[in-house]
Amino acid sequence: MGSVFEGISNTTRIAPPDPIGDVSDTQFVQSVNGLHGARVAVYNKGTGAVEAGPFNLQMLWDKGRCKKDGWGDPVVQFDPLAKRWLLTQFAFRFDDSGSPAGPYFECIAVSTTSDATGSYYPYSFRITKKKLPDFPKFGVWPNGYYMSVHLLGRKGKTSQGIIAFDRASMLKGAPARQMIFFVNSDLFGLLPSDLEGSTPPPSGAPNYLVVLRDDNLGDKADKVYLYAFFATWAHPRRSHIDGAAKLATDPMNSFLCRGGFFCIPQKGTGMKLDASAGALGIGAYLMYPLVYRNYGDHESLVFQHTVQVGRTFQAAINWFEVRDPSTTPTLFQQGTYAPDELDRWVGSIAMDSFGDISLAFSTSSKDSYPSIAYTGRSQSDTLGEMPLGDTRIVAGEGSQTGSPRWGDYTALSVDPVDDCTFWYTNEYYPSTSRSGWHTAIASFRLPACSSSPSPSP
């Protein structure tokens, strides 16, 4: 285990926090939901000292909707190719009845240098007029920043939005374009691929999109659908999404909580937590991020979601590795991590330069408080297994009693200095309360890189 230090804690009644963050050569940047939009803090990754914040993300804009009406669902990503930061949240107004009202915007700020405490180029992109772009998830790619959103309309009308933003212009602070594709709600949960490491994909490679589906439109996903988004900025009308490679999976039960929402037990209270993690009660929706790595002799995509195991409800993490998406995609391995009777959910996945994979997540049970843990595997381990077992990051000492909503995502990433140290952020309770959550930021390594030198702060 490496370092563990405190992140942002709750000073309002906001829940859930949706903690997210990423790591650069010298800093860790974290963001959570706040009373008036996302809150952001910058930490020295070597000491855990706060270098800036917590501050409201909308302060990076000086006018417009993003200045007045940012409302959270933050994303933080470090662009490993450009050494820049991307901070984002959605923005909208409320109507007289208190309901979200369009037009809806995505607010994206790109740092002008690698220092997250410095200046930013602020962008405000109008996404839709009438549908709320919920659950935004991003991926860094050489030719763009890619985003997927669940578009939620009134009277239950929904669809999925896939958007590419003009990365090259945004890195210079120049006027930037966006390309928007709308797909049907059967493809809810599409995630864009996010580059990990410093080796880019092959020249001209599309951004990959992955979703889990049941061809019978039931609740038990049985295929990985792999799409390719070709964004051509020189000729935008030639841009298109190709699909879909269909990769059969092992059997899994993604019908969480028997179709409900709240079924994760906690110690000392009858309040049960939301297992869906933003997935509308269905665990087939993939959790952030969809990690891409280019190892030279092969390419890998790794991703995960929550499933039910056993005859009675128990939440577990189901994970996948797809190889060679640009040539002949194959489902290289799949596994479900449930080594005991604990519930494990709201996970995140990452892959280091050795090919080792780590999962990090929340744990809970009727006899234990919600806590933070991780597991992992070496690239030489038996396919589909996570033999490392749980390593506890933070042992929670309280339960959440004010709301069953635990959160939509957490974030696991890899240190760009040594390309093997994992960094993770998630929430926990130091004592039982309605909404007194805290967050932790932790680093750790898996065995293959244990002899590597520590990254320089």
Side-chain angles (χ1 to χ4, degrees), residues 30 42 111 122 129 230 278 297 317 332 382 392 395 406 418 448 457:
Q30 184 195 49
V42 180
S111 65
K129 181 179 180 180
F230 292 88
D297 62 340
I317 307 294
F332 182 70
T382 301
R392 187 68 57 84
W406 186 249
D418 63 10

Side-chain angles (χ1 to χ4, degrees), residues 364-387:
S364 191
S365 75
K366 63 182 179 60
D367 299 316
S368 64
Y369 298 116
S371 299
I372 307 172
Y374 74 88
T375 188
R377 58 169 279 111
S378 165
Q379 57 85 25
S380 61
D381 289 330
T382 301
L383 294 180
E385 294 188 1
M386 290 277 175

